[in-house]
């Protein structure tokens, strides 16, 4: 038909993602609670066919046409893990002399591409018709107009991509539709759909395939449910601090560990993601953190604030690019801004940072990452190689170095003052005490 045969307006509006507390469902158009993330609303006002009439809520015909167009586009909507937005497409028909529902499919696809929705495929639709004679002869029509729809014997709508069909609807007015007729109709529809998709790919201007600068920026992050308390903090103090420090609009946590971040800019979104990773201790080693505030200064380095309630140490050895510092330079004061590299945690959970690494990286020089700190030696000597070393140095009772010293002293017949008593010494001492008591008893009997 002509350019004015099926005119329409397709506009798109994105909304915030819905909250999710359940398990993920394998559907690109539903969120983790099973609620719809994509829907299409179709309006067919009387003016589109040159009539005057009451304009009100969508009628039965409009609901059916909108459902058909929505089902055609739904398989090409990316999953929530890739595109965490809820999408609403509004299709308003301004003039109709053909299949307005298939026009909604084509226009809706272009509208989503123009809005920046990363569609997995381009989708188009076409309406097929049929003229069937009493003698069995027939003609299959492609892209039927209004008169062909009214006078024909079949209204057959097929939508999909070049790879396959995503929606199918057929109205039959006569009997006698055979498999041969259906095969020809489907083959002819595939050819017409491919032609329409090629025309859509050459539309001018081409779809922007980018978000509007005023669209909200959304991102999903997955954390361990056991770390949600660490992320939220007591009374929500930590997560509120992340929102304030990053400039994000909101951060929503769910019981399954899904974290939804809403921000007005890409910078705020990236800052919130980085602070969340810092807060739960999952930041990749080697990440450079720019313009961090010096929280306090110590004799051995400076403490740098990384996220609300979390700081790390830049040791003196990692504070300058060259030389060995013996004290913190005077230009580093509380409140100063410093660029640091994350070196990972210490065995006791503290955070190691390096300013030296950033200076060398920015200068195009190589930096050797220090080896991770080993496990700290426990006070009970569990890191010793075997039990014998503990016995010889720590002194096992009766068989340690003290016993050996006592035996060597007694064999010499010399009493060493200050030497711990061994078994022999304890025996001699007890014997001496006994002998003394015996002498006293004998003297008393003689008297």
């Amino acid at each position: 038909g002509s350019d004015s045969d099926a005119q329409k307006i397709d506009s798109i509006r994105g909304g915030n993602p819905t909250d999710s507390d359940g398990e993920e469902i394998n559907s690109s158009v539903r969120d983790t609670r099973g609620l719809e993330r994509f829907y299409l609303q179709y309006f067919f006002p009387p003016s589109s066919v040159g009539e005057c009439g009451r304009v009100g809520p969508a009628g039965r015909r409009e609901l059916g046409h909108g459902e058909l167009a929505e089902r055609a586009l739904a398989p090409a909507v990316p999953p929530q893990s890739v595109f965490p937005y809820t999408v609403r497409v509004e299709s308003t028909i301004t003039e109709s002399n053909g299949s307005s529902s298939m026009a909604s499919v084509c226009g809706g696809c272009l509208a989503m591409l123009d809005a920046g929705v990363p569609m997995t495929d381009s989708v188009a639709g076409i309406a097929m018709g049929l003229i069937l004679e009493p003698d069995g002869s027939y003609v299959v029509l492609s892209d039927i107009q209004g008169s062909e729809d009214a006078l024909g014997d079949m209204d057959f709508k097929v939508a999909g991509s070049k790879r396959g069909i995503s929606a199918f609807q057929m109205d039959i007015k006569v009997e006698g539709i055979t498999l041969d007729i259906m095969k020809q109709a489907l083959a002819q529809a595939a050819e017409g759909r491919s032609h329409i998709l090629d025309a859509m790919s050459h539309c001018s201007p081409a779809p922007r395939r980018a978000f509007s600068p005023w669209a909200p920026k959304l991102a999903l992050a997955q954390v361990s449910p056991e770390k949600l308390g660490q992320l939220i903090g007591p009374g929500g103090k930590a997560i509120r601090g992340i929102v304030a420090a990053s400039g994000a609009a909101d951060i929503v946590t769910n019981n399954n560990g899904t974290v939804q971040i809403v921000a007005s800019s890409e910078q705020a979104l990236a800052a919130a993601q980085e602070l969340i990773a810092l807060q739960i201790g999952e930041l990749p080693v080697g990440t450079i953190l720019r313009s961090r505030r010096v929280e306090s200064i110590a004799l051995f380095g400076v403490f740098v604030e990384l996220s609300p309630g979390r700081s790390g140490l830049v040791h003196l050895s990692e504070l300058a690019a060259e030389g060995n510092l013996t004290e913190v330079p005077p230009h580093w004061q509380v409140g100063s801004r410093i660029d640091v590299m994350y070196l990972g945690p210490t065995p006791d959970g503290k955070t190691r940072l390096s300013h030296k690494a950033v200076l060398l990286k920015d200068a195009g020089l190589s930096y050797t990452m220090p080896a991770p700190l080993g496990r700290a030696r426990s006070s009970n000597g569990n890191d010793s190689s075997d039990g014998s070393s503990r016995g010889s140095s720590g002194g096992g009772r009766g068989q340690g170095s003290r016993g050996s010293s006592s035996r060597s002293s007694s064999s010499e017949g010399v009493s060493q003052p200050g030497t711990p008593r061994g078994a022999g010494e304890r025996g001699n001492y007890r014997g001496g005490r006994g002998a003394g008591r015996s002498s006293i008893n004998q003297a008393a009997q003689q008297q």
Side-chain angles (χ1 to χ4, degrees), residues 25-345:
I25 299 174
N26 274 332
S27 175
S28 63
V29 295
R30 294 189 180 274
D31 65 10
T32 52
R33 288 193 305 175
L35 302 178
E36 289 191 25
R37 297 176 43 248
F38 165 71
Y39 56 104
L40 184 145
Q41 291 183 330
Y42 170 95
F43 296 101
F44 191 91
S47 59
S48 64
V49 288
E51 297 178 357
C52 296
R54 182 180 64 86
V55 178
R60 182 176 62 88
R61 178 183 178 279
E62 292 173 301
L63 293 176
H65 281 59
E67 180 70 18
L68 176 62
E70 180 179 310
R71 290 189 179 187
L73 292 169
V77 176
Q80 188 177 19
S81 59
V82 176
F83 187 75
Y85 288 80
T86 296
V87 179
R88 172 181 173 267
V89 176
E90 179 182 314
S91 179
T92 302
I93 307 302
T94 58
E95 184 178 352
S96 176
N97 186 23
S99 176
S100 56
S101 62
M102 295 298 97
S104 296
V105 172
C106 301
C109 177
L110 291 175
M112 285 195 283
L113 289 175
D114 190 59
V117 180
M119 303 282 286
T120 59
D121 270 313
S122 292
V123 180
I126 187 171
M128 309 297 294
L130 175 69
I131 303 296
L132 181 63
E133 297 296 338
D135 59 0
S137 59
Y138 63 90
V139 176
V140 176
L141 308 176
S142 296
D143 194 17
I144 58 174
Q145 297 185 10
S147 58
E148 295 169 330
D149 183 18
L151 301 176
D153 299 320
M154 180 180 71
D155 180 10
F156 180 60
K157 299 173 183 176
V158 185
S161 66
K162 289 187 176 182
R163 297 190 299 143
I165 295 173
S166 58
F168 178 97
Q169 186 261 334
M170 181 172 63
D171 294 333
I172 302 178
K173 302 176 184 178
V174 296
E175 296 181 355
I177 305 297
T178 64
L179 289 178
D180 291 335
I181 295 176
M182 291 302 300
K183 287 179 181 179
Q184 180 178 340
L186 286 172
Q188 200 166 315
E191 183 179 353
R193 190 170 70 249
S194 177
H195 174 77
I196 295 173
L197 287 170
D198 290 338
M200 289 169 57
S201 66
H202 292 90
C203 69
S204 180
R208 291 172 299 175
R209 297 181 182 268
F211 283 133
S212 166
W214 296 278
K217 307 301 184 291
L218 305 182
L220 287 182
Q222 188 68 37
V223 304
S224 173
E226 290 77 14
K227 293 186 177 181
L228 285 177
Q230 182 179 348
L231 173 61
I232 297 171
K237 180 179 179 181
I239 199 166
R240 287 198 302 269
I242 292 175
V243 171
S246 63
D250 194 16
I251 298 177
V252 181
T253 59
N254 303 293
N255 294 335
N256 62 355
T258 303
V259 180
Q260 299 172 340
I261 309 167
V262 185
S264 59
S265 66
E266 293 290 349
Q267 293 79 5
L269 189 69
Q273 291 174 311
E274 186 177 85
L275 290 176
I276 288 173
L278 279 169
Q279 187 67 25
I280 62 177
E282 294 184 356
L283 189 71
V285 174
T287 301
I288 294 179
L289 308 171
R290 300 284 183 180
S291 189
R292 300 295 165 163
R293 179 180 176 273
V294 174
E295 189 176 59
S296 62
I297 297 177
L299 295 176
F300 46 83
V302 297
F303 287 94
V304 179
E305 183 182 19
L306 301 178
S307 63
R310 189 179 184 88
S311 60
L313 172 65
V314 181
H315 193 265
L316 287 175
S317 61
E318 295 292 336
L319 199 54
E322 296 180 352
N324 295 322
L325 299 178
T326 58
E327 62 180 8
V328 177
H331 62 272
W332 293 121
Q333 300 291 333
V334 175
S336 300
R337 294 289 173 172
I338 185 173
D339 297 336
V340 294
M341 177 184 285
Y342 177 67
L343 300 183

Side-chain angles (χ1 to χ4, degrees), residues 411-445:
S411 63
E412 297 273 338
V414 179
S415 176
Q416 301 289 339
T419 304
R421 295 190 301 269
E425 294 180 13
R426 289 196 296 270
N428 293 339
Y429 182 71
R430 287 196 298 270
R433 291 174 59 195
R437 286 195 297 271
S438 300
S439 300
I440 295 173
N441 293 335
Q442 290 175 2
Q445 291 175 2

